Amino acid sequence: MCTKHCFDDCQGFDPPHQSDTRTVYVANRFPQNGHYIPQRFADNRIISSKYTVWNFVPKNMFEQFRRIANFYFLIIFLVQLMIDTPTSPITSGLPLFFVITVTAIKQGYEDWLRHKADNEVNGAPVFVVRSGSLVQTRSKNIRVGDIVRVAKDETFPVDLVLLSSDRADGTCHITTASLDGETNLKTHFSVPETSVCQSVSQLEALQAVVECQQPEADLYRFVGRITVIQHGEEIVRPLGPENLLLRGARLKNTKEIFGVAVYTGMESKMALNYKCKSQKRSAVEKSMNTFLIIYLVILLFEAILSTILKYAWQAEEKWNEPFYNQKTEQERNSSPILKFISDFLAFLVLYNFIIPISLYVTVEMQKFLGSFFIGWDLDLYHEESDQKAQVNTSDLNEELGQVEYVFTDKTGTLTENEMHFRECSIKGTKYREVNGKLLPEGMTDDSPDGSVAHLIGDEVLFLKAVSLCHTVQISYDQPDLPLGASDPFSHVNGFSSNHMEYYASSPDEKALVEATKRIGVAFTGSRGETMEINTFGKLEKYKLLHLLEFDANRRRMSVILQTPSGGTVLFTKGAESAILPFATSGEIEKTRLHVDEFALKGLRTLVVACRHFSPEEYMDVDKRLTAARTALQQREEKLQEAFDFIERDLQLLGATAVEDKLQDKVQETIEALRLAGIKVWVLTGDKHETAVSVSLSCGHFHRTMNILELLQQRSDNECAEQLRRLARRIKEDHVIQHGLVVDGASLSLALREHEKLFMEVCKNCSAVLCCRMAPLQKAKVVRLLKTSPEKPITLAIGDGANDVSMIQEAHVGIGIMGKEGRQAVRNSDYAIARFKFLAKLLLVHGHFYYIRIATLVQYFFYKNVCFITPQFLYQFFCLFSQQTLYDSVYLTLYNICFTSLPILVYSLFEQLVHPHVLQSKPCLYRDIRKNSLLSFRTFLYWTVLGFCHAFIFFFGSYILMGEDTTLMGNGQMFGNWTFGTLVFTVMVITVTLKIALETHFWTWMHHFVTWGSIAFYFIFSLFYGGIIWPFLHTQDMYFVFVQLLSSGSAWFAIIIIVIICLSPDVFKKVLYRHLQPTSTQKSQQSLSAPPAQALSCMESLCCYQQGQSGCSRLASLLDQMTGHCKAGASNCHTSSRCNRSWSDTETFYSNDRSILTLSPIEGTRC
């Protein structure tokens, strides 16, 4: 569905501003006058699928015929229908139909899965207020203006303006983790006039109109107003982001809320942050299209050359119209130009199989079937959450082996969203928590009666400040008790901690409040304006006078409280840079030192301070705050001034250090990616200090790394100058590794005018961290790298809706099945349960997929060159009469039946080295980077090899059957169909054995399809040539194959030609492996444990089961010739070779439970 705002023809409430605003009538109570025409809004359906039932066929056909090979074969098929050609239209039409059908089924199935996921979201049950009652309906049926009820822990189905909640003050708490990655609890408000409407009947009687801006992607911006009509009087209240509940956010610690829908479906802010779904194409597919164009040029050259030579030959009268083939009168009078074109098209049809149409369907099948291995891999299964890896699109499997940049979210992707209190500093002394006791550094846990004995006035004041300076809410979950036995107020009298759950405005706050509770100062709840804490068993009540909310500019929050003794105190906490400059007393320098030590450990730090007010001072403070909060103009600036006036002259109490628990093996995964040559960028919406500390703790930034900063830039010139300074520093310190930290505002400036300079700095940095990023900014950064001159392959990984744009923009998008909803998973290409699984996904699966498909593509071109070149050579011997060398059935079945299965099985199961080796040696990933196996050089090698083999097939058979050679026992001659069948037989055997030579990992399936394909060809040919088929126009092949096989000379020719074709290839492989081995080949040789028993190059080339090496004699001979071992040495005997088993039964490989290891019976000796 289009997400643009197409309201040009709408006639709404306020015509002068209709393009900028929308008017929403609460409960859809439209004006009764006849002049009002309702605005048209989007419905509430979310659409991530690509096709519908109606557009599937035309859209899919259009996409498929954009492929060069498909379009080309369609043209050939139409040519065969229109003119008289040497082969039947079925030879092109049948494979084309097969390819198109299989591809359409595969893509239709994948889109059906997306439809299924969409239907789950769109069909979710919701409650709306209609006709005076609460009605259950589906999410997709919600309209703009509907009043929606959302209960605790439910996700908001639309963007809502909050009308009321079950709380008297009309507030509610939500978490936006799936939108911006922040797990903190946020408080949202309703206006006083609607907050009293807590029942359906009151809401039904509510008369209100919401006027707001048209939908936009910015999650943090909302401008509007609500007009409430009470007793005939209109009351207008402003609306801001604090009144808007975003789709995808979750209601927490509030029983229920009612809100009016303002933005629905693809116009919700969450959906507007999605990128339009575009068709992703892998680098391999682009290479395939390039190779196809080259082969198309070869085809056109052969067809034009054949046409010219035909007319050159026919210049002689005896060849122009021989006595056995007289022309008709119509042929003599036909136009020479039309005849030339007709002959050219006929040659085009004759040679058209040089373009391998079945390549596409084989690639599609390989991708589709191969993708199941990811889901079956037990190493990618997360037992705790019972989640296995998921493949949403199989078109990009091989792209996993080409990744150069990884862009990752932080919260929920690298971390678990679990904070743990570790240390603190109080009055210049460091403390740590041990078994619920707060102990000074260096002391041991030797006090039997808890922490009470150790704590004095300063420590207690610090703990009280931490347990009161927050916006934590408490939920009491009652245990299952007998009827009437429960006591809902049991927490007041010596509070019960067993069933108390904290909901915090930030994960740090929750960890800190839980820590103070364990130590003995427990926050037990708030009732209206009263906050209660239990200090070592003594209940204390504080009156909350003012809350000074946290904001990104101040980077601190404060509470003003009335103490039980009647005094007034301010408690404040925040980043050290936001507190220490305003502190006038306390151990400032010691605390600063401790904060730096905590940060070096990768801990998240907060500094705590207080200020005591006299009654006169508080009156002034109260007056300033009230005036600022009720101001109708410049409210934010006035509040900022008031906060700055209040939060000064602070008494420093101490600092806290909290650990954000990383996911398991994050550090090892990032290090493995770095060793594989992959650069990791962290893109997060979190604060700068938090992001840097997590980057340090997860190994993204090293301690020895020089951290460069591009932060808080306010102008283009300032940004450009800072970038130049950073570039100079990098050049001066070129030996040191650099890391770059950039925030969202500075990034916007850098991308606007100084993109090239910014990219230069980034590329010279080992790691980049972008903080305070909006969702679309993440996508812009990914696009910036994608479109850079080097065109690197990018991968984005995240777990929330705020990561969807980034996931869709990258070449490969991976969703984490985390705690932040399923939006990222639904819009990703692959989904895994934990970040650590990324290493195996890339280093093992990506490596295998790329090598398999690279060989598959080049092998297909090779075998089609082998197939068609003899057809071209044959024309020199038949006066370019367009006589076909092969029977039309062979033409049709060559790619579909005779040679299709061995390469398909190879492309599904091939393993150059064991998965464990690929994981333990990430540097092997570098061998396949930059599409190295599909370079022009390797493509040229396979093409030249195909032409050489084709010449040997044709001329080897021709020399054998030279003129007047009698090969039949009865003295009969072989005919042209027997000659063509001999060439075809040699070709089928050779190309099948060629892929066998390329295979390193043999299973029973490889043996079955390799030898089975050759056997099937012989059985089919005997059957096809042994029967007269009544529906065929000619019986050219009758008894031809039987005659061929009855000749001993033919058998001799087949064996000799196959050996001549494959021997040079074997020697070339052996020499290259011996003289210029790649890292992967060296790893293959080092698989055996004892060095004396390491595999020789030749033996590791062709390994077979039952301990037999197919090339051991040749290997021994070569080793002796090159001086690598002495004749007769024990280590040259195959019997002494150690068993190279790729099963998961050995202890060395016990950690690898991949389905790719197939079966423990694969005992391959080399």
Side-chain angles (χ1 to χ4, degrees):
M1 182 183 295
C2 179
T3 59
K4 293 181 181 177
H5 314 139
C6 308
F7 298 108
D8 299 339
D9 56 345
C10 298
Q11 299 181 31
F13 177 76
D14 194 357
H17 306 286
Q18 66 180 40
S19 61
D20 301 321
T21 63
R22 61 168 51 189
T23 303
V24 179
Y25 289 89
V26 177
N28 289 308
R29 290 175 173 274
F30 300 118
Q32 298 303 310
N33 61 66
H35 302 294
Y36 174 73
I37 301 174
Q39 287 179 296
R40 290 201 292 269
F41 303 115
D43 61 26
N44 198 39
R45 286 180 301 155
I46 288 290
I47 298 173
S48 63
S49 54
K50 203 164 66 172
Y51 305 110
T52 66
V53 174
W54 310 109
N55 72 9
F56 175 73
V57 173
K59 194 172 181 180
N60 188 264
M61 291 299 105
F62 172 74
E63 286 179 355
Q64 291 209 53
F65 284 115
R66 281 196 306 177
R67 288 176 166 173
I68 295 170
N70 291 353
F71 183 73
Y72 161 77
F73 266 85
L74 178 65
I75 298 297
I76 291 295
F77 177 63
L78 295 175
V79 167
Q80 286 179 295
L81 290 176
M82 289 188 290
I83 68 168
D84 183 24
T85 57
T87 55
S88 165
I90 294 174
T91 58
S92 296
L94 189 63
L96 177 65
F97 176 77
F98 180 69
V99 167
I100 296 295
T101 304
V102 170
T103 306
I105 291 171
K106 179 241 178 191
Q107 291 182 349
Y109 170 72
E110 289 181 346
D111 203 62
W112 175 75
L113 292 178
R114 285 191 283 268
H115 271 284
K116 191 176 173 185
D118 287 344
N119 290 339
E120 281 182 25
V121 174
N122 296 329
V126 293
F127 287 92
V128 296
V129 177
R130 285 181 185 162
S131 305
S133 61
L134 203 59
V135 178
Q136 184 174 356
T137 184
R138 295 181 184 277
S139 174
K140 64 182 179 182
N141 297 329
I142 297 175
R143 299 168 298 175
V144 171
D146 279 345
I147 297 175
V148 182
R149 191 204 77 169
V150 180
K152 181 183 175 183
D153 290 327
E154 288 183 353
T155 301
F156 299 116
V158 289
D159 288 353
L160 300 165
V161 167
L162 179 61
L163 295 177
S164 65
S165 72
D166 65 316
R167 298 168 180 268
D169 57 0
T171 61
C172 72
H173 300 284
I174 70 166
T175 175
T176 57
S178 67
L179 294 171
D180 55 15
E182 294 185 5
T183 53
N184 55 315
L185 225 59
K186 296 181 174 66
T187 305
H188 284 245
F189 306 88
S190 59
V191 299
E193 287 71 26
T194 63
S195 62
V196 296
C197 302
Q198 296 183 337
S199 66
V200 174
S201 57
Q202 289 174 308
L203 288 165
E204 183 64 22
L206 177 66
Q207 291 188 354
V209 181
V210 174
E211 294 168 87
C212 58
Q213 63 188 140
Q214 292 287 17
E216 64 169 33
D218 191 340
L219 295 174
Y220 309 107
R221 186 169 183 269
F222 178 70
V223 178
R225 64 185 180 187
I226 183 168
T227 305
V228 183
I229 302 171
Q230 286 186 348
H231 313 296
E233 181 185 349
E234 290 188 356
I235 302 170
V236 180
R237 297 283 185 183
L239 297 175
E242 69 278 2
N243 306 112
L244 185 68
L245 306 172
L246 299 178
R247 177 175 190 143
R250 191 178 294 274
L251 184 65
K252 287 286 187 183
N253 206 24
T254 308
K255 185 179 177 183
E256 66 175 13
I257 63 99
F258 289 95
V260 59
V262 288
Y263 304 132
T264 50
M266 300 305 284
E267 291 181 343
S268 62
K269 287 184 180 286
M270 182 185 80
L272 290 175
N273 272 281
Y274 291 170
K275 276 184 76 307
C276 292
K277 212 166 182 66
S278 59
Q279 183 75 14
K280 293 183 179 180
R281 294 171 65 224
S282 68
V284 169
E285 189 171 341
K286 293 170 187 172
S287 298
M288 278 167 51
N289 286 340
T290 305
F291 298 158
L292 280 170
I293 291 171
I294 295 171
Y295 270 65
L296 198 56
V297 171
I298 294 172
L299 171 66
L300 292 172
F301 171 76
E302 288 184 351
I304 292 169
L305 180 64
S306 297
T307 310
I308 293 170
L309 289 176
K310 175 179 181 176
Y311 282 92
W313 212 302
Q314 288 181 355
E316 293 184 50
E317 187 64 33
K318 63 175 182 176
W319 299 124
N320 184 33
E321 195 174 349
F323 70 92
Y324 56 83
N325 192 14
Q326 296 289 317
K327 292 182 180 179
T328 63
E329 195 64 34
Q330 185 181 357
E331 287 175 332
R332 289 193 186 97
N333 297 330
S334 62
S335 166
I337 296 174
L338 287 176
K339 197 160 184 349
F340 184 90
I341 293 172
S342 176
D343 283 326
F344 168 73
L345 291 174
F347 279 117
L348 207 62
V349 169
L350 191 64
Y351 304 147
N352 79 81
F353 281 94
I354 197 171
I355 306 292
I357 187 172
S358 54
L359 168 62
Y360 276 118
V361 74
T362 309
V363 166
E364 293 286 350
M365 290 174 68
Q366 188 269 347
K367 288 181 175 182
F368 180 66
L369 296 174
S371 64
F372 286 104
F373 288 115
I374 292 177
W376 291 337
D377 191 344
L378 296 177
D379 283 343
L380 302 184
Y381 170 72
H382 190 242
E383 203 164 343
E384 291 172 26
S385 58
D386 190 28
Q387 290 172 326
K388 62 179 183 178
Q390 182 178 314
V391 179
N392 295 330
T393 174
S394 57
D395 290 337
L396 304 169
N397 292 345
E398 66 277 9
E399 209 79 330
L400 294 170
Q402 295 294 294
V403 174
E404 295 171 64
Y405 283 87
V406 167
F407 298 91
T408 174
D409 178 40
K410 179 188 73 67
T411 310
T413 304
L414 300 178
T415 66
E416 292 275 15
N417 285 343
E418 291 179 15
M419 306 294 175
H420 297 276
F421 175 78
R422 288 289 177 250
E423 297 181 68
C424 66
S425 169
I426 306 175
K427 288 289 182 180
T429 304
K430 279 202 290 187
Y431 291 82
R432 57 194 173 89
E433 183 193 358
V434 180
N435 299 327
K437 302 175 186 178
L438 201 62
L439 301 177
E441 191 176 40
M443 280 190 64
T444 56
D445 180 19
D446 55 1
S447 175
D449 45 333
S451 55
V452 182
H454 299 290
L455 300 180
I456 55 175
D458 288 335
E459 287 92 335
V460 173
L461 180 61
F462 173 82
L463 292 174
K464 286 182 179 180
V466 172
S467 61
L468 288 167
C469 184
H470 54 70
T471 54
V472 170
Q473 302 292 323
I474 297 180
S475 172
Y476 290 93
D477 296 324
Q478 293 296 321
D480 294 330
L481 296 172
L483 191 63
S486 63
D487 178 11
F489 302 104
S490 60
H491 64 281
V492 176
N493 307 312
F495 67 100
S496 167
S497 61
N498 295 331
H499 311 292
M500 188 164 63
E501 185 178 357
Y502 290 123
Y503 289 96
S505 60
S506 79
D508 303 73
E509 282 192 343
K510 182 179 179 184
L512 291 173
V513 173
E514 286 175 341
T516 59
K517 174 185 161 190
R518 290 193 299 270
I519 293 165
V521 181
F523 172 65
T524 56
S526 56
R527 295 182 174 186
E529 296 179 346
T530 303
M531 298 180 75
E532 298 176 0
I533 60 170
N534 189 298
T535 309
F536 305 114
K538 179 185 175 185
L539 191 67
E540 297 180 9
K541 295 184 179 182
Y542 289 78
K543 184 179 180 182
L544 178 62
L545 302 174
H546 289 285
L547 173 68
L548 282 58
E549 298 88 354
F550 176 88
D551 66 64
N553 295 322
R554 283 167 47 244
R555 293 192 296 165
R556 59 183 180 265
M557 67 89 61
S558 304
V559 290
I560 300 177
L561 303 167
Q562 186 178 27
T563 64
S565 60
T568 307
V569 66
L570 166 92
F571 288 129
T572 184
K573 70 177 180 194
E576 79 277 7
S577 58
I579 300 284
L580 294 180
F582 302 99
T584 56
S585 60
E587 298 289 347
I588 297 173
E589 290 308 315
K590 283 186 179 179
T591 305
R592 193 193 307 274
L593 191 65
H594 289 164
V595 166
D596 291 340
E597 288 178 20
F598 296 154
L600 279 173
K601 295 178 183 177
L603 303 176
R604 296 158 64 103
T605 58
L606 286 172
V607 175
V608 183
C610 71
R611 179 184 176 186
H612 295 276
F613 294 114
S614 65
E616 294 78 18
E617 284 177 326
Y618 175 69
M619 284 179 64
D620 187 23
V621 164
D622 185 57
K623 191 188 297 180
R624 284 174 180 265
L625 276 176
T626 305
R629 283 190 166 134
T630 55
L632 293 177
Q633 293 181 340
Q634 297 181 323
R635 182 185 298 177
E636 290 183 1
E637 290 83 353
K638 290 179 180 179
L639 275 173
Q640 197 68 42
E641 289 175 12
F643 290 168
D644 290 341
F645 174 78
I646 296 165
E647 296 168 329
R648 63 180 187 178
D649 301 329
L650 300 174
Q651 176 191 342
L652 187 62
L653 297 177
T656 62
V658 172
E659 181 185 24
D660 184 2
K661 187 181 177 185
L662 290 172
Q663 284 189 17
D664 188 30
K665 295 187 178 177
V666 167
Q667 193 162 355
E668 294 90 329
T669 303
I670 290 177
E671 188 58 33
L673 296 177
R674 190 175 280 130
L675 289 172
I678 299 171
K679 287 191 175 182
V680 180
W681 288 32
V682 176
L683 312 181
T684 176
D686 225 329
K687 298 189 290 289
H688 159 235
E689 293 86 1
T690 306
V692 170
S693 66
V694 172
S695 278
L696 286 165
S697 60
C698 74
H700 178 236
F701 283 168
H702 287 299
R703 304 290 174 203
T704 57
M705 200 178 274
N706 184 17
I707 307 293
L708 309 174
E709 292 187 343
L710 183 67
L711 300 170
Q712 297 176 345
Q713 304 300 306
R714 286 174 167 64
S715 68
D716 283 334
N717 293 335
E718 188 183 339
C719 182
E721 185 54 41
Q722 177 66 4
L723 283 169
R724 290 189 194 98
R725 278 199 294 269
L726 296 179
R728 281 196 299 273
R729 281 185 63 184
I730 290 171
K731 285 179 182 174
E732 290 165 7
D733 305 333
H734 60 277
V735 179
I736 306 171
Q737 280 192 326
H738 299 278
L740 176 68
V741 184
V742 57
D743 62 13
S746 305
L747 183 73
S748 297
L749 293 172
L751 297 185
R752 191 188 306 163
E753 299 277 337
H754 318 290
E755 205 171 276
K756 196 172 179 182
L757 189 57
F758 177 68
M759 281 305 301
E760 184 188 333
V761 172
C762 288
K763 285 178 181 175
N764 289 313
C765 292
S766 304
V768 178
L769 168 64
C770 301
C771 51
R772 279 293 171 204
M773 300 280 284
L776 285 177
Q777 275 186 312
K778 292 184 178 184
K780 282 181 183 175
V781 171
V782 176
R783 192 183 311 122
L784 179 68
L785 263 293
K786 264 177 70 176
T787 55
S788 63
E790 294 82 8
K791 297 282 190 296
I793 303 299
T794 58
L795 179 146
I797 179 169
D799 68 326
N802 61 319
D803 303 313
V804 169
S805 298
M806 170 176 79
I807 285 169
Q808 290 180 339
E809 180 64 51
H811 292 95
V812 183
I814 296 184
I816 296 281
M817 304 169 190
K819 303 172 183 176
E820 301 185 9
R822 307 287 292 184
Q823 289 90 342
V825 171
R826 286 198 308 116
N827 287 275
S828 63
D829 304 307
Y830 302 89
I832 52 179
R834 286 292 182 272
F835 182 80
K836 66 179 179 180
F837 296 150
L838 183 64
K840 182 161 191 186
L841 193 65
L842 299 186
L843 304 182
V844 178
H845 289 283
H847 196 111
F848 285 156
Y849 284 135
Y850 176 72
I851 285 172
R852 292 165 183 169
I853 205 162
T855 306
L856 182 152
V857 168
Q858 295 178 119
Y859 175 76
F860 251 91
F861 285 111
Y862 154 80
K863 73 187 181 79
N864 277 48
V865 168
C866 291
F867 183 37
I868 285 305
T869 304
Q871 183 88 285
F872 173 68
L873 296 173
Y874 185 57
Q875 297 307 303
F876 287 88
F877 295 85
C878 65
L879 294 182
F880 295 92
S881 60
Q882 296 151 14
Q883 168 63 39
T884 178
L885 177 64
Y886 314 120
D887 182 70
S888 59
V889 172
Y890 285 164
L891 280 171
T892 306
L893 298 183
Y894 174 74
N895 278 319
I896 293 178
C897 294
F898 300 144
T899 60
S900 59
L901 284 180
I903 183 59
L904 180 62
V905 170
Y906 170 93
S907 65
L908 289 174
F909 300 112
E910 172 65 353
Q911 296 180 28
L912 262 73
V913 289
H914 192 277
H916 176 87
V917 177
L918 291 177
Q919 275 189 282
S920 60
K921 295 183 178 180
C923 56
L924 296 181
Y925 192 84
R926 295 171 185 256
D927 279 0
I928 59 170
R929 287 179 64 200
K930 297 286 185 186
N931 208 9
S932 59
L933 298 187
L934 279 175
S935 65
F936 188 74
R937 183 180 174 184
T938 53
F939 166 72
L940 197 63
Y941 164 73
W942 280 90
T943 301
V944 171
L945 185 68
F947 278 114
C948 291
H949 284 185
F951 273 79
I952 295 170
F953 299 156
F954 185 83
F955 288 107
S957 302
Y958 178 76
I959 291 167
L960 176 78
M961 297 180 61
E963 297 178 9
D964 302 328
T965 303
T966 301
L967 297 176
M968 300 294 295
N970 57 6
Q972 286 182 348
M973 305 286 290
F974 276 175
N976 66 312
W977 292 114
T978 312
F979 174 71
T981 305
L982 176 61
V983 173
F984 193 84
T985 303
V986 171
M987 179 171 57
V988 169
I989 295 172
T990 304
V991 298
T992 305
L993 292 180
K994 169 62 181 168
I995 195 61
L997 275 178
E998 296 296 319
T999 304
H1000 296 79
F1001 182 59
W1002 281 86
T1003 66
W1004 66 267
M1005 209 174 298
H1006 287 85
H1007 287 289
F1008 178 76
V1009 297
T1010 301
W1011 316 121
S1013 292
I1014 296 173
F1016 173 75
Y1017 164 70
F1018 278 87
I1019 294 167
F1020 174 84
S1021 297
L1022 287 169
F1023 183 68
Y1024 172 57
I1027 299 174
I1028 295 177
W1029 301 94
F1031 53 85
L1032 294 178
H1033 298 299
T1034 60
Q1035 303 294 332
D1036 295 328
M1037 294 300 293
Y1038 180 67
F1039 220 60
V1040 167
F1041 199 70
V1042 176
Q1043 278 188 326
L1044 180 69
L1045 295 188
S1046 64
S1047 168
S1049 303
W1051 281 103
F1052 176 75
I1054 291 170
I1055 295 169
I1056 289 295
I1057 293 170
V1058 170
I1059 291 173
I1060 291 171
C1061 284
L1062 296 179
S1063 296
D1065 195 42
V1066 171
F1067 279 108
K1068 178 250 175 190
K1069 281 179 176 294
V1070 172
L1071 287 172
Y1072 266 84
R1073 201 177 181 89
H1074 226 71
L1075 303 175
Q1076 292 181 333
T1078 64
S1079 303
T1080 305
Q1081 289 167 342
K1082 288 175 184 174
S1083 297
Q1084 290 171 336
Q1085 295 173 41
S1086 63
L1087 275 172
S1088 306
Q1093 295 181 336
L1095 301 172
S1096 75
C1097 299
M1098 185 61 211
E1099 289 183 281
S1100 61
L1101 170 71
C1102 38
C1103 304
Y1104 297 92
Q1105 292 178 353
Q1106 281 75 45
Q1108 298 173 356
S1109 168
C1111 316
S1112 55
R1113 290 182 180 275
L1114 185 59
S1116 302
L1117 182 63
L1118 185 72
D1119 282 343
Q1120 292 171 36
M1121 289 169 60
T1122 54
H1124 279 75
C1125 63
K1126 297 176 182 178
S1130 61
N1131 66 329
C1132 287
H1133 296 297
T1134 55
S1135 59
S1136 68
R1137 303 297 177 194
C1138 88
N1139 188 2
R1140 170 181 160 191
S1141 172
W1142 286 5
S1143 76
D1144 57 359
T1145 55
E1146 293 186 49
T1147 54
F1148 184 62
Y1149 298 133
S1150 61
N1151 291 332
D1152 191 296
R1153 298 171 294 148
S1154 169
I1155 195 71
L1156 293 171
T1157 51
L1158 292 177
S1159 149
I1161 63 168
E1162 310 295 341
T1164 307
R1165 283 186 187 272
C1166 291

